[in-house]
C-alpha cells in the first residue's frame, strides 16, 4: 500500500505542467496545419486536432521542440496528425 502511494506521488511529479502560451501556440499550429492540408488536397473538409486530444508523449515532444526553438517542427505536427 505504501509503495503504491509512492508510485502515485512520483507519477504526479512526472506530469508536465504546460503553460497557457505553449497550449495556445500548439493549438494555432495544429489549426494551421489542418487548413494547409485542406487547401493542398482541394478539400473543404479538415480535421482539427486540439492539444487536449494529444497523447502525453506527443505533447512532451512538442514541448521539447517549443522550449528549444520557440516553435514546433512540421515533422512533429505531421506525426501528431498521423497518430491522432
Amino acid at each position: 500500500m505504501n509503495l503504491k502511494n509512492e508510485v502515485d506521488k512520483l507519477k504526479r511529479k512526472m506530469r508536465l505542467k504546460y503553460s497557457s502560451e505553449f497550449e495556445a501556440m500548439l493549438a494555432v499550429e495544429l489549426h494551421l496545419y489542418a487548413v494547409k492540408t485542406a487547401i493542398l488536397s482541394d478539400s473543404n473538409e479538415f480535421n482539427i486536432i486540439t492539444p487536449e486530444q494529444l497523447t502525453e508523449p506527443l505533447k512532451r515532444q512538442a514541448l521539447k521542440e517549443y522550449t528549444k526553438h520557440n516553435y514546433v517542427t512540421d515533422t512533429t505536427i505531421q506525426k501528431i496528425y498521423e497518430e491522432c
Side-chain angles (χ1 to χ4, degrees), residues 16-32:
L16 296 174
K17 303 235 183 221
Y18 301 104
S19 70
S20 58
E21 180 183 329
F22 167 71
E23 293 272 345
M25 182 281 314
L26 186 57
V28 169
E29 290 281 347
L30 292 169
H31 190 89
L32 289 174

Side-chain angles (χ1 to χ4, degrees), residues 21-22 25 62-72:
E21 180 183 329
F22 167 71
M25 182 281 314
L63 179 63
K64 282 181 189 175
E65 289 181 2
Y66 177 71
T67 303
K68 189 174 181 180
H69 306 290
N70 284 338
Y71 63 90
V72 180

Side-chain angles (χ1 to χ4, degrees), residues 45-78:
E45 295 180 23
F46 56 91
N47 179 26
I48 297 175
I49 295 175
T50 63
E52 293 82 25
Q53 293 173 285
L54 301 181
T55 61
E56 194 65 27
L58 287 174
K59 210 170 187 181
R60 197 175 311 120
Q61 181 179 353
L63 179 63
K64 282 181 189 175
E65 289 181 2
Y66 177 71
T67 303
K68 189 174 181 180
H69 306 290
N70 284 338
Y71 63 90
V72 180
T73 64
D74 288 344
T75 307
T76 300
I77 298 292
Q78 284 177 323

Side-chain angles (χ1 to χ4, degrees), residues 5-16:
N5 289 341
E6 291 298 317
V7 169
D8 288 340
K9 281 183 192 177
L10 286 172
K11 282 183 181 179
R12 280 192 296 269
K13 281 185 181 179
M14 294 294 289
R15 284 194 192 119
L16 296 174

Side-chain angles (χ1 to χ4, degrees), residues 29-41:
E29 290 281 347
L30 292 169
H31 190 89
L32 289 174
Y33 183 80
V35 171
K36 176 181 129 183
T37 304
I39 290 171
L40 292 176
S41 67

